[in-house]
Amino acid sequence: MNPIQYVKRLRIWLASILIVSLVGGFSIVTYLDPLINNLYIFAFLSTLMIFLMSFISLLGLWWFFDERRKLLSISQINQIIYQSLITSAVTICALVMNQTNQLNFTSITILFISYFLYQLWANSK
């Protein structure tokens, strides 16, 4: 499979995942009460992470293929997906730490340093 076909299929999958996670997130917020069961909070955070991952991936694929008109290899395309997953995980972690009042200078420094080290490792050749 060539990279152009791969990106087309990946965009369809990511767009459908984005729509499903958006509807799922709105449904969780609207219909479920987190005071009844704490698993609803984890369901919402998982849905939010999937939404952010697919949104950031679509944004990255749009930037490289449509805006810069650069043809990437399949491994580089997968690297965009991996980086969007790590970015959404760090964002969710920061949101949870902020909500639980554990987000301070030390924890945000650890998050940024670990994210920076991942980006250095991921972009090294």
Side-chain angles (χ1 to χ4, degrees), residues 24-97:
F26 281 135
S27 299
I28 289 172
V29 169
T30 305
Y31 298 118
L32 298 179
D33 186 15
L35 298 175
I36 296 172
N37 192 348
N38 288 336
L39 291 177
Y40 297 153
I41 295 171
F42 293 115
F44 175 72
L45 290 175
S46 301
T47 306
L48 182 64
M49 185 171 167
I50 291 169
F51 174 78
L52 285 175
M53 189 266 313
S54 58
F55 180 73
I56 294 170
S57 297
L58 282 173
L59 192 65
L61 291 175
W62 167 78
W63 174 256
F64 280 109
F65 280 91
D66 294 338
E67 208 47 44
R68 293 181 63 192
R69 304 215 186 273
K70 186 176 180 183
L71 188 62
L72 301 175
S73 66
I74 292 179
S75 64
Q76 290 172 327
I77 295 167
N78 289 337
Q79 191 66 31
I80 290 172
I81 304 298
Y82 300 147
Q83 287 182 351
S84 68
L85 182 63
I86 294 297
T87 303
S88 64
V90 168
T91 304
I92 296 297
C93 183
L95 288 173
V96 168
M97 291 175 79

